[in-house]
Amino acid sequence: QVQLVESGGGLVQPGGSLRLSCAASGLTLDYYAIGWFRQAPGKERERVSCISMSDGSTNYADSVKGRFTIARDNAKNTVYLQMNSLKPEDTAVYYCAADEVGLCGIMDYWGKGTLVTVSS
């Protein structure tokens, strides 16, 4: 069974930092593009960041560029999202997802999400 499990969410003050983890089982993340998505209250799910398989390139939504960093640890079969300078607008459920094509396109597998709340 393919499983992606997010962790690391919680309550943080504006300007603070969190590191989210996405641990995979049933697949090897080396062979997939991995994306982080989020869904804020009352809003559609949006892509935050993605790391491709082919060349390891990364991309970020304009709203998080310069603040968030995606990274892969193949030995741990885990992908991270380092979030710095957090804003209340970053409050959302964050999901990791895997694209077997490897190009940060349509995602084939999804985690259940972890809640990030940015509030003073």
Side-chain angles (χ1 to χ4, degrees), residues 25-74:
S25 61
L27 60 81
T28 301
L29 290 181
D30 309 45
Y31 304 137
Y32 295 79
I34 307 298
W36 282 97
F37 296 74
R38 68 185 181 187
Q39 188 165 23
K43 295 186 178 295
E44 295 291 319
R45 181 178 289 172
E46 62 178 348
R47 190 170 78 176
V48 174
S49 182
C50 193
I51 182 167
S52 67
M53 176 192 70
S54 56
D55 60 3
S57 63
T58 59
N59 56 64
Y60 300 89
D62 288 341
S63 58
V64 307
K65 195 170 298 181
R67 300 188 297 120
F68 291 10
T69 303
I70 189 170
R72 186 196 304 263
D73 187 335
N74 291 332

Side-chain angles (χ1 to χ4, degrees), residues 3 10 13 20 23 88-89 100:
Q3 188 174 19
Q13 288 186 286
L20 306 183
E89 306 89 82
E100 64 184 7

Side-chain angles (χ1 to χ4, degrees), residues 6-10 18-21 83 114-116:
E6 303 93 338
S7 62
L18 285 174
R19 188 179 74 162
L20 306 183
S21 299
M83 306 187 295
T114 185
L115 176 63
V116 172

